[in-house]
Structures are given as structure tokens and as C-alpha cells.
Amino acid sequence: MDFKDIVKKLGERVDTLKAQVTTEEATKNAFIMPFIKDLGYDVFNPFEVVPEFTADLGIKQGEKIDYAIIQENEPIILIECKHHAAPLSISNASQLFRYFHTTKAKFAILTNGIEYKFFTDLVETNKMDEKPFFHFDITEIKENQIEELKKFHKSQFDFEKIVNTASDLKYTNELKALINEEINNPSADFVRHFAKQIYPSIITQKVLDQFTGLVKNSFNQHFSDVVTDRLQTALNKETKINNSNLEDSETDLEDSKIITTKDELNAFLIIKAICTAECSPERIIYRDAQSYFAILFDDNNRKPICRLYFTDKRLQIGIFDETKKEIKTELTKIDDIYKLNEEIKNIIKYYLELENV
């Protein structure tokens, strides 16, 4: 299992167990220790991970950091933990600030086991920044965030490499947040920037009020158009590939009297898109037959996802459950497949779970 799958599996575990985790100590044991372990560190080796870390440098007595990750007998990462339901703010990172200044650690993590905030000293040397340069939600972590997190893995940890990219990462995240805020709640300066380029007269408050809604709607429409165009391009590409495969096997299809229809291919693309939320799209394969159109996991007859029973008068889909029982549903139109989103994803999750048994 590669690092991406390991992290996503931890995110799923956290999301599943959080209702049963009721204390800060339980949060550490159930969520944060597995996170440290997944970064390649031995949580039971005091030469690598020290719980309740104390730096004997005359700072506030009795104060401890929850975990310190050690390299060559010196802390390289300090971790302060909170209960998973507790919000993370700069006010509850006071211990991190003090320990960051008095140890050789150059990275600090404030976490509640769900949200992780990474700090360093980009603004002033040896003083922990007030704003994190990297943060994510483990239950909703994105591909690009996993790549950044990978830099902190024991096998790849390189202080210089991380610091060299930390500044760009910090400002990129802040810019993204700013852009998102301006799109959802445009400021007067933001609206005025666009309005003055197309409005032929003076920008009065009345004009500004009018353009505030126009700017917001224009951005939303633009992003919607971009998503639609990319989706259509992907679907067209997939259709061309499948049509090419159909042409290559045209003789065989004629001999077997199997006709793969456009409706079947369109339905296949919808189902493949749904499955992609759980697995790589290459693992979703179709096989056509005279009486039904089968969609399989890993092109394996023993791992059926569903079957399509499409005729001129009827659209029917049969989705398999964990017991291989086929549950059939009538469709009024092909897009109704989206309503069966959870049923389709559940069978994929089941096959993925079998791989880990």
C-alpha cells in the first residue's frame, strides 16, 4: 500500500471512529499516534518519538509537549494535541511557541487528530510563526496535500527541502483563502477593479452595489462552465476509446450478435465516474453480453459491480451487494444512475476491504 492509500485509510478510520472517541487521551491513541506511525516513525521507540516531552531549559515548570519526533537525539518536530472536537487556534498553541524557541525543532504541529496545522519560523528566525504554512483535514485530504505531507515521512524528511518550499506553500494557501473569500463575498475594491474596466461612467455606490452581485455570479458561472467543459472532454475521450475498442472487435461482435449501444456506454461512464471516488478508474471494466451489459471490478467475473439490462422499452440496472445478490432497479432515464451512487460505491468499498484482509 503506497503512502497516499495509507493516509486516506487513516482519514476514513478517523471519520468512522470520532463519535466513539470522547477524550483528549483517546484522541491521541486512536488518531494521532497512528498518524505519527504512518509517517514512518516508531511510536514505541523513545529514540524516535518521545511522549510528554520536556525541554529542561528553565521554562514554565510542569509544562510538556504531547510528542516530540527525534532525530540524532534532537527534536525535529513538536506536536501539541487537543481533543478532536476542540477548535484549533493560536491561543491554544502557547506551549508550542515556548518549546519552539528553546529547542532545535524547526517544525511544530498543532492538531486535534482531524485538522493538522504545521508551523515553522518563516517570519522571524527561531520564533514560531503565528500562521501555519501548511494545514489540512485528514478526513478530506487532497492529492496535493498528501504530496506535501509525504515530505515529512521519515524516509524522505529533508529540512532544507521543506523550508525551501514552505514559504511558497504558505502564501499559496493564504492567496487561495483570500480568492475564495472574494469570490463568495466580494469586497468593494475587488468589485471596483472589474467594474471600472467595463462601466463607462463614474462608479457610484449604486453601481458598486449592482456590480457586486454581477461579479459574484460571473465567477460562479465561469467555474461552472470550466467544470462542465472538462467533464465533457473527459467523457468524449472515454467514448472515443471505447468506440475504438468496439471497432477493433467489430468482427467478433458480429459473430456473437452482441451490440454495445450508446446508452450502455454512457451508463458505463457514469458508473465509472462514481467508482472513481473510491478507486482508480482503470479498475472499472465492462464486458458486453447478449442478455446484459456487465461492469466488473478488475475485469474479474467474481467481482461484479452491476449489470445493465437496456432495451428499446426498458432501462434496468442490477447492482450487486456483498453477498453477490443482485438488486434490480428500474430507471426512467440513464441519469437516474446517480441516485444509486451509494449502492455502487459500497460494493467497491467491499472489494477494497477484501484486499486488506
Side-chain angles (χ1 to χ4, degrees):
M1 188 181 297
D2 63 20
F3 185 67
K4 178 182 73 174
D5 294 329
I6 290 172
V7 173
K8 288 195 171 184
K9 187 174 181 180
L10 175 60
E12 292 171 359
R13 169 188 169 88
V14 170
D15 197 37
T16 301
L17 298 180
K18 61 186 179 182
Q20 280 71 46
V21 176
T22 58
T23 66
E24 182 177 307
E25 197 62 33
T27 299
K28 294 179 190 177
N29 293 334
F31 299 161
I32 300 168
M33 285 181 66
F35 174 79
I36 298 172
K37 178 177 178 293
D38 287 345
L39 286 180
Y41 299 98
D42 185 351
V43 294
F44 301 110
N45 182 351
F47 290 103
E48 286 193 10
V49 180
V50 178
E52 300 294 308
F53 177 76
T54 302
D56 188 18
L57 296 172
I59 61 176
K60 190 175 179 181
Q61 293 296 314
E63 198 171 53
K64 300 176 181 179
I65 289 292
D66 290 303
Y67 296 101
I69 295 178
I70 307 297
Q71 188 178 84
E72 297 179 356
N73 296 319
E74 294 288 350
I76 57 172
I77 303 174
L78 304 175
I79 305 175
E80 178 68 12
C81 309
K82 303 298 177 184
H83 180 255
H84 72 81
L88 301 182
S89 65
I90 202 67
S91 62
N92 53 25
S94 58
Q95 290 168 238
L96 279 179
F97 277 104
R98 285 189 284 274
Y99 273 75
F100 190 93
H101 176 67
T102 56
T103 69
K104 293 184 178 181
K106 287 299 180 182
F107 299 105
I109 302 174
L110 179 63
T111 180
N112 57 14
I114 297 177
E115 188 178 1
Y116 287 80
K117 294 187 176 184
F118 287 64
F119 298 84
T120 188
D121 56 352
L122 294 174
V123 176
E124 185 177 337
T125 303
N126 293 328
K127 181 179 179 181
M128 193 178 95
D129 298 335
E130 292 189 3
K131 292 183 178 180
F133 69 91
F134 177 43
H135 60 90
F136 60 85
D137 183 323
I138 194 72
T139 65
E140 299 176 352
I141 192 164
K142 300 177 177 62
E143 299 282 340
N144 64 312
Q145 293 173 329
I146 293 176
E147 287 305 310
E148 292 298 331
L149 178 61
K150 195 173 183 179
K151 295 175 184 177
F152 289 88
H153 193 279
K154 179 183 176 181
S155 64
Q156 300 194 30
F157 187 86
D158 183 328
F159 169 74
E160 295 297 334
K161 185 177 180 180
I162 298 173
V163 168
N164 288 340
T165 60
S167 179
D168 286 348
L169 184 63
K170 174 185 177 182
Y171 294 125
T172 297
N173 287 332
E174 291 183 6
L175 282 170
K176 285 166 64 179
L178 179 61
I179 291 169
N180 183 64
E181 178 62 25
E182 289 286 11
I183 290 172
N184 290 306
N185 300 290
S187 65
D189 289 340
F190 188 74
V191 174
R192 187 177 287 106
H193 170 75
F194 293 101
K196 69 182 182 180
Q197 298 181 59
I198 59 176
Y199 191 74
S201 186
I202 298 174
I203 307 298
T204 64
Q205 185 60 49
K206 183 178 179 180
V207 172
L208 203 61
D209 292 341
Q210 177 188 3
F211 269 82
T212 297
L214 292 175
V215 168
K216 182 175 180 179
N217 290 337
S218 296
F219 269 96
N220 289 334
Q221 289 177 24
H222 170 72
F223 291 132
S224 178
D225 290 344
V226 169
V227 171
T228 300
D229 289 345
R230 289 185 178 179
L231 180 58
Q232 189 60 52
T233 299
L235 289 173
N236 289 342
K237 183 178 179 180
E238 188 75 30
T239 300
K240 287 180 181 179
I241 292 172
N242 282 290
N243 285 341
S244 176
N245 291 336
L246 288 174
E247 290 172 4
D248 292 340
S249 59
E250 186 175 357
T251 302
D252 293 337
L253 292 176
E254 288 178 354
D255 292 341
S256 62
K257 297 181 180 180
I258 297 174
I259 299 175
T260 301
T261 67
K262 183 178 179 180
D263 282 347
E264 289 172 332
L265 289 176
N266 287 338
F268 168 69
L269 293 179
I270 291 173
I271 293 165
K272 189 171 186 177
I274 292 172
C275 295
T276 300
E278 304 297 333
C279 69
S280 171
E282 291 81 12
R283 303 185 76 173
I284 311 303
I285 305 297
Y286 76 76
R287 292 190 200 174
D288 205 354
Q290 288 191 48
S291 57
Y292 58 81
F293 181 97
I295 301 177
L296 309 172
F297 187 68
D298 286 342
D299 201 15
N300 190 335
N301 276 328
R302 290 179 294 177
K303 295 181 178 181
I305 299 170
C306 61
R307 289 177 179 175
L308 306 179
Y309 303 92
F310 288 3
T311 66
D312 292 338
K313 298 181 179 180
R314 184 186 70 176
L315 298 175
Q316 187 183 65
I317 182 173
I319 301 176
F320 291 86
D321 63 15
E322 297 178 4
T323 64
K324 301 294 177 67
K325 179 183 177 182
E326 185 181 11
I327 302 171
K328 294 183 178 181
T329 303
E330 298 292 333
L331 309 173
T332 57
K333 57 184 184 300
I334 294 175
D335 284 352
D336 286 346
I337 293 173
Y338 285 113
K339 298 177 182 179
L340 302 170
N341 175 73
E342 290 303 317
E343 290 86 343
I344 293 170
K345 290 199 293 187
N346 283 341
I347 189 62
I348 297 297
K349 290 178 182 178
Y350 172 68
Y351 293 143
L352 291 173
E353 289 172 358
L354 290 179
E355 295 177 354
N356 299 321
V357 175

